[in-house]
Amino acid sequence: LAKTTQPISMDSYEGQEVNITCSHNNIATNDYITWYQQFPSQGPRFIIQGYKTKVTNEVASLFIPADRKSSTLSLPRVSLSDTAVYYCLVGGSYNTDKLIFGTGTRLQVFP
Amino acid sequence: GAVVSQHPSRVICKSGTSVKIECRSLDFQATTMFWYRQFPKQSLMLMATSNEGSKATYEQGVEKDKFLINHASLTLSTLTVTSAHPEDSSFYICSAATDDYSNQPQHFGDGTRLSIL
């Protein structure tokens, strides 16, 4: 089964850059890497998705090394509203074995 | 972006009641919809995958007679928790994807908090 490993929690201060790394050693050739953000009592929200190298959008960057066994979500300048749980999800092909959410990383941003 | 609407957002009912939760994709056709369950401070656990017009595929340990899933159209899937008991109290979340969800992200609803008294 595809499995991801992330730090359980991280603390930061407003204005800092936050990098959250996810390990996915048994990623398959067809697997994409997707990151989601979840606030309490809400469904996850899509942040960013990538396959290799670097992807950037208006809210985050995603760095994926050549071996693709890990990925790093980078939030450039966090604010209090970025306090949430962040999940990385690997796969999504026609195999639901891949749709396994890990523990997620609980990010707490302080003023 | 793609919008998935889930209704109701919260249900409180007595033990033995059956509860239906709806999941709608508002601006795209969702060939595949997923149902998850999330307990407090835990991660999402996939319960079942439903494809339009066919029977749902349940994950191991999920009772199909307990959690009835119907995906009658490309924009609507329903989850019915039959004869709910307090241990069924949880946060239920649906998501929707196009057929080729290998490189398209899932779009999640905002969840339904089910409380069984």
Side-chain angles (χ1 to χ4, degrees):
Chain A
L1 296 179
K3 181 179 177 181
T4 60
T5 304
Q6 302 173 232
I8 292 176
S9 64
M10 294 181 70
D11 292 337
S12 182
Y13 291 94
E14 282 191 293
Q16 289 190 334
E17 177 184 80
V18 171
N19 295 307
I20 305 173
T21 297
C22 179
S23 297
H24 29 80
N25 291 319
N26 55 347
I27 188 170
T29 303
N30 294 333
D31 290 342
Y32 277 68
I33 301 158
T34 310
W35 284 80
Y36 294 91
Q37 175 191 56
Q38 187 181 28
F39 296 111
S41 298
Q42 293 186 23
R45 294 185 180 184
F46 170 79
I47 302 174
I48 198 167
Q49 184 183 60
Y51 184 80
K52 62 180 179 180
T53 62
K54 177 184 175 181
V55 179
T56 298
N57 62 21
E58 62 274 12
V59 297
S61 294
L62 178 60
F63 298 92
I64 305 168
D67 65 6
R68 304 200 328 121
K69 293 184 183 298
S70 67
S71 60
T72 299
L73 173 72
S74 180
L75 304 173
R77 286 174 297 280
V78 296
S79 63
L80 295 176
S81 62
D82 293 317
T83 294
V85 179
Y86 293 82
Y87 294 97
C88 74
L89 191 65
V90 171
S93 55
Y94 298 105
N95 183 352
T96 57
D97 283 349
K98 303 294 182 69
L99 295 179
I100 300 174
F101 279 79
T103 58
T105 298
R106 189 172 299 274
L107 173 66
Q108 179 69 54
V109 180
F110 295 97
Chain B
V3 178
V4 174
S5 173
Q6 190 171 338
H7 179 80
S9 58
R10 186 176 183 105
V11 180
I12 302 173
C13 57
K14 293 181 179 179
S15 183
T17 306
S18 291
V19 178
K20 179 185 282 188
I21 302 170
E22 292 188 349
C23 181
R24 294 180 183 273
S25 58
L26 299 185
D27 53 359
F28 69 103
Q29 293 186 329
T31 306
T32 305
M33 288 187 172
F34 305 94
W35 288 96
Y36 294 84
R37 184 172 180 176
Q38 186 175 35
F39 291 107
K41 297 193 182 300
Q42 292 188 21
S43 186
L44 286 78
M45 292 182 57
L46 181 65
M47 299 175 65
T49 303
S50 73
N51 292 294
E52 183 265 338
S54 61
K55 290 184 178 180
T57 302
Y58 291 81
E59 296 302 301
Q60 190 172 10
V62 178
E63 301 176 56
K64 61 180 182 181
D65 294 330
K66 174 76 171 177
F67 300 99
L68 301 179
I69 292 173
N70 183 276
H71 193 164
S73 76
L74 286 171
T75 59
L76 174 65
S77 177
T78 61
L79 167 67
T80 301
V81 184
T82 61
S83 186
H85 293 286
E87 58 267 26
D88 298 322
S89 297
S90 189
F91 192 51
Y92 293 86
I93 310 170
C94 72
S95 73
T98 58
D99 184 49
D100 182 21
Y101 66 92
S102 59
N103 58 6
Q104 293 293 327
Q106 298 174 64
H107 303 283
F108 288 85
D110 270 340
T112 297
R113 185 160 303 283
L114 176 62
S115 300
I116 307 298
L117 305 177

